[in-house]
Amino acid sequence: YDMSYIEFKLIEYIKDLVNSYQISDLYCSKCKMAKSDSLSLLCSCSGSYKFNQVAERNVRNDFRLVLIGLKELAEFSNLSLIKEYIICLLYTSDAADDLLCVDLGGRRIIKKK
């Protein structure tokens, strides 16, 4: 098997997964449909998007479980690029859980005591 091709396809899958995760917590305030793309500012019914706080925790947990599974697959298959990419995503998603400790780039802010 061509491992570089497999790694490339897995990276595409992870990028799509991240994009889906990022827009999954938005829904239309008018028709209540979930946001289906990352570019539109308004829904097709002309409604504005709102943040869905109820679904956020479930989506975040599912997202993390898939990333952890892909990380284990990458470790098993010696796909170092994917492993490092997923570690970075998991690190920034952990940091994002504590919004007071994250800058706009998703990096942790270390507070000196």
Side-chain angles (χ1 to χ4, degrees):
Y1 299 103
D2 183 4
M3 293 306 280
S4 61
Y5 178 76
I6 293 171
E7 193 166 29
F8 174 74
K9 285 302 202 181
L10 282 171
I11 288 173
E12 281 184 349
Y13 172 74
I14 294 168
K15 286 181 179 179
D16 289 343
L17 181 70
V18 169
N19 187 39
S20 296
Y21 169 71
Q22 290 173 337
I23 64 173
S24 67
D25 54 357
L26 296 175
Y27 72 97
C28 176
S29 61
K30 191 174 180 182
C31 70
K32 307 296 185 213
M33 295 295 294
K35 186 172 182 180
S36 60
D37 64 31
S38 59
L39 297 177
S40 62
L41 297 176
L42 295 174
C43 181
S44 58
C45 73
S46 300
S48 60
Y49 289 108
K50 287 190 169 191
F51 183 67
N52 184 356
Q53 295 176 348
V54 175
E56 176 190 9
R57 185 169 302 278
N58 292 336
V59 170
R60 181 180 295 145
N61 289 339
D62 293 346
F63 176 70
R64 289 182 52 73
L65 287 175
V66 170
L67 285 180
I68 290 168
L70 287 169
K71 180 178 159 257
E72 291 174 3
L73 173 70
E75 288 172 347
F76 179 78
S77 303
N78 294 324
L79 301 171
S80 60
L81 184 61
I82 290 178
K83 180 182 170 189
E84 289 181 26
Y85 182 45
I86 292 172
I87 288 172
C88 179
L89 287 171
L90 288 170
Y91 178 79
T92 55
S93 82
D94 285 344
D97 288 342
D98 186 5
L99 295 177
L100 298 176
C101 297
V102 181
D103 71 1
L104 292 176
R107 295 176 296 270
R108 273 190 204 272
I109 298 171
I110 310 281
K111 294 183 180 179
K112 295 182 180 179
K113 293 182 179 181

